[in-house]
């Protein structure tokens, strides 16, 4: 999108747009010019009905998303925590354990995969994608190419991966994927700068439009990192700014809102803030942000856990579902579903069944939270341990 704005030095302490011309003061067309002809955009083509159906399936009552899309490097860190080497065989064994868990489809509606897993089969030759489909779990795929430094910013990042995305998403669709995920991040300690916010929003919007054209429901994820010692009101301020930009650019790119899913961070204090917030406080601030910024046409809000403990993520989700919402409010968790599983499995074949039961425990707990019926009773001490890692990368 062309812009004639000229920007001054960004103030890292503010999330406002700083420049000699803001987005709200666009030049008006001259009255001497002929009026422009208005054309109505045609979006998503013959995939529109399928996109809406896919989004509705994922946003179904009592179900959420299992995120298994860690890069091979990050998966290697997980395996290393239980004494396993980062080999394709070990990654296959772990992902097979997760995706073949009997009864998983009762609580899980979608699974986000890394590219390796999308094309992988189980040890007995069955495609991982088919294992999911048999349980009415929609296969998804991580399509971004990771974070790199953003020149001109306050030590912030931008997400790469738009080059070649159209051809990749088309191939992923042929392989059985029906939704996609693109994660970018916003750092409050780094400002965030207006440049970083706009870059995040524009990249997410282009990705969403391209994914829909390929038949994939895009999950839109601008993660506001937990890093920092700021209070919950500051997080709310930044979240509102970020989501206003994201929604604006999604509309500018003619994205079909009924065929997307959002993956926001919960509005919480920074991980290093001196005071903790209750689930009720987090729910109130998070829902306030959503009601102010997110159109009701969006079918599902699938929260990320972002380093919260397994129990914290579930309690907070439950608090948000104590009254009706305009959207399906659910989960898209990685660590908050997998932490107990890994520590139960320990890389031992004889522990697979116990590890799968641990996954079902966490999946069921979050299913109950989506329905507003989670109590938090009988949770283990391990499930209550925080998983925040400063500067965490996938």
């Amino acid at each position: 999108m062309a812009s004639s704005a000229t920007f001054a030095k960004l103030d890292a302490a503010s999330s406002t747009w700083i420049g000699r011309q803001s987005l709200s003061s666009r030049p008006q067309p001259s009255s001497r010019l002929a009026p422009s002809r208005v054309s109505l955009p045609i979006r998503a083509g013959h995939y529109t009905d399928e996109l809406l159906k896919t989004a509705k399936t994922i946003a179904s009552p009592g179900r959420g998303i299992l995120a298994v899309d860690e890069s091979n490097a990050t998966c290697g860190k997980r395996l290393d925590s239980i004494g396993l080497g980062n080999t394709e065989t070990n990654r296959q064994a772990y992902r097979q354990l997760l995706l073949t868990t009997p009864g998983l489809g009762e609580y899980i509606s979608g699974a986000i995969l890394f590219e390796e897993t999308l094309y992988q089969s189980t040890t007995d030759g069955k495609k991982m994608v088919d294992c999911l489909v048999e349980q009415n779990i929609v296969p998804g795929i991580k399509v971004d190419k990771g974070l790199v430094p953003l020149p001109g910013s306050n030590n912030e990042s931008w997400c790469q991966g738009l080059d070649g995305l159209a051809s990749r998403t088309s191939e992923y669709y042929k392989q059985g994927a029906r939704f996609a995920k693109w994660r970018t991040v916003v750092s409050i300690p780094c400002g965030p700068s207006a440049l970083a916010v706009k870059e995040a929003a524009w990249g997410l919007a282009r990705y969403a439009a391209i994914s829909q054209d390929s038949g994939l429901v895009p999950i839109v994820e601008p993660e506001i990192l937990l890093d920092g010692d700021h209070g919950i009101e500051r997080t709310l301020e930044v979240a509102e700014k970020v989501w206003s930009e994201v929604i604006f650019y999604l509309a500018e790119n003619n994205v079909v809102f009924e065929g997307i899913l959002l993956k926001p961070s919960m509005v919480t204090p920074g991980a290093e803030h001196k005071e903790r917030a209750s689930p009720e406080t987090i729910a109130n601030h998070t829902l306030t942000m959503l009601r102010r910024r997110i159109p009701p046409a969006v079918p599902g809000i699938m929260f990320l856990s972002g380093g919260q403990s397994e129990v914290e993520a579930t309690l907070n989700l439950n608090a948000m579902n104590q009254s009706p919402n305009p959207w399906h409010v659910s989960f898209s968790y990685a660590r908050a579903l997998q932490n107990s599983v890994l520590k139960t499995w320990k890389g031992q074949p004889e522990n697979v069944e116990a590890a799968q039961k641990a996954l079902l425990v966490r999946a069921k707990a979050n299913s109950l939270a989506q329905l507003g019926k989670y109590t938090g009773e009988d949770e283990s001490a391990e499930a209550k341990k925080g998983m925040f890692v400063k500067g965490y990368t996938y």
Side-chain angles (χ1 to χ4, degrees):
M1 186 179 83
S3 173
S4 59
T6 304
F7 301 105
K9 180 70 175 177
L10 296 170
D11 179 1
S14 172
S15 64
T16 58
W17 195 287
I18 300 173
R20 291 193 287 274
Q21 186 178 73
S22 70
L23 287 178
S24 61
S25 58
R26 299 182 179 90
Q28 298 300 312
S30 170
S31 59
R32 291 175 293 178
L33 297 177
S36 59
R37 181 173 298 173
V38 176
S39 60
L40 296 177
I42 300 174
R43 290 287 299 115
H46 63 279
Y47 287 115
T48 302
D49 290 343
E50 183 180 358
L51 291 169
L52 270 58
K53 181 180 178 181
T54 298
K56 187 175 181 180
T57 297
I58 296 172
S60 54
R63 299 207 297 167
I65 295 173
L66 169 63
V68 199
D69 60 323
E70 302 90 349
S71 67
N72 287 346
T74 300
C75 189
K77 294 177 184 177
R78 303 269 176 89
L79 295 173
D80 182 66
S81 72
I82 58 171
L84 288 184
N86 186 15
T87 66
E88 182 177 355
T89 300
N90 287 337
R91 294 193 299 270
Q92 176 195 37
Y94 179 54
R95 288 162 175 164
Q96 178 176 326
L97 180 160
L98 296 170
L99 303 182
T100 61
T101 297
L104 188 62
E106 184 176 351
Y107 313 116
I108 299 297
S109 56
I112 313 172
L113 309 178
F114 192 61
E115 186 176 72
E116 179 181 73
T117 315
L118 183 70
Y119 290 91
Q120 213 165 34
S121 297
T122 64
T123 50
D124 58 4
K126 190 172 187 177
K127 292 181 180 179
M128 296 283 192
V129 168
D130 292 341
C131 295
L132 294 172
V133 173
E134 286 181 0
Q135 293 211 57
N136 194 29
I137 299 173
V138 182
I141 178 68
K142 169 188 166 75
V143 300
D144 68 77
K145 292 294 185 179
L147 301 168
V148 292
L150 176 62
S153 72
N154 189 24
N155 296 318
E156 295 161 288
S157 301
W158 69 286
C159 189
Q160 56 188 348
L162 289 177
D163 288 350
L165 182 59
S167 60
R168 287 192 292 121
T169 50
S170 294
E171 290 302 313
Y172 296 151
Y173 182 91
K174 293 176 185 176
Q175 187 63 20
R178 290 297 178 268
F179 72 100
K181 178 199 140 178
W182 176 288
R183 172 187 178 261
T184 192
V185 301
V186 172
S187 170
I188 293 179
C190 290
S193 69
L195 173 64
V197 172
K198 181 179 179 181
E199 176 59 45
W202 179 254
L204 284 165
R206 291 304 307 138
Y207 137 78
I210 293 167
S211 295
Q212 287 191 336
D213 279 346
S214 298
L216 304 182
V217 169
I219 288 183
V220 177
E221 181 183 359
E223 179 175 356
I224 298 173
L225 298 171
L226 280 175
D227 303 60
D229 59 2
H230 52 277
I232 196 169
E233 296 298 335
R234 175 60 177 157
T235 307
L236 176 61
E237 176 192 8
V238 172
E240 288 183 353
K241 172 62 178 175
V242 169
W243 280 106
S244 67
E245 293 279 306
V246 170
I247 296 300
F248 174 80
Y249 284 114
L250 287 172
E252 285 285 286
N253 281 272
N254 300 311
V255 170
V256 179
F257 280 84
E258 293 85 351
I260 66 174
L261 297 167
L262 306 184
K263 186 171 179 177
S265 307
M266 296 180 190
V267 178
T268 69
E272 297 156 297
H273 188 63
K274 58 185 178 182
E275 295 180 6
R276 308 286 290 179
S278 68
E280 292 72 25
T281 299
I282 291 171
N284 179 60
H285 282 72
T286 304
L287 291 174
T288 294
M289 182 276 292
L290 293 176
R291 292 182 186 122
R292 289 173 176 174
R293 293 293 182 264
I294 308 305
V298 174
I301 309 292
M302 321 299 286
F303 282 102
L304 59 90
S305 55
Q308 300 176 75
S309 74
E310 292 177 329
V311 172
E312 279 178 327
T314 309
L315 283 170
N316 293 337
L317 178 62
N318 185 73
M320 280 184 265
N321 281 299
Q322 293 308 299
S323 58
N325 293 302
W327 332 265
H328 174 81
V329 175
S330 192
F331 60 93
S332 177
Y333 294 164
R335 286 174 285 174
L337 285 173
Q338 296 182 41
N339 189 51
S340 297
V341 179
L342 262 175
K343 294 183 177 181
T344 302
W345 178 45
K346 299 176 182 176
Q348 303 300 317
E350 62 269 22
N351 293 337
V352 167
E353 185 176 347
Q356 290 179 329
K357 287 181 180 178
L359 175 59
L360 288 179
V361 167
R362 293 263 43 92
K364 182 178 180 180
N366 286 289
S367 170
L368 290 170
Q370 197 289 309
L371 299 170
K373 298 178 180 179
Y374 173 72
T375 63
E377 296 177 356
D378 301 322
E379 288 283 14
S380 68
E382 186 63 44
K384 297 177 182 178
K385 291 182 180 178
M387 293 178 283
F388 169 72
V389 177
K390 192 171 184 177
Y392 182 80
T393 56
Y394 280 82

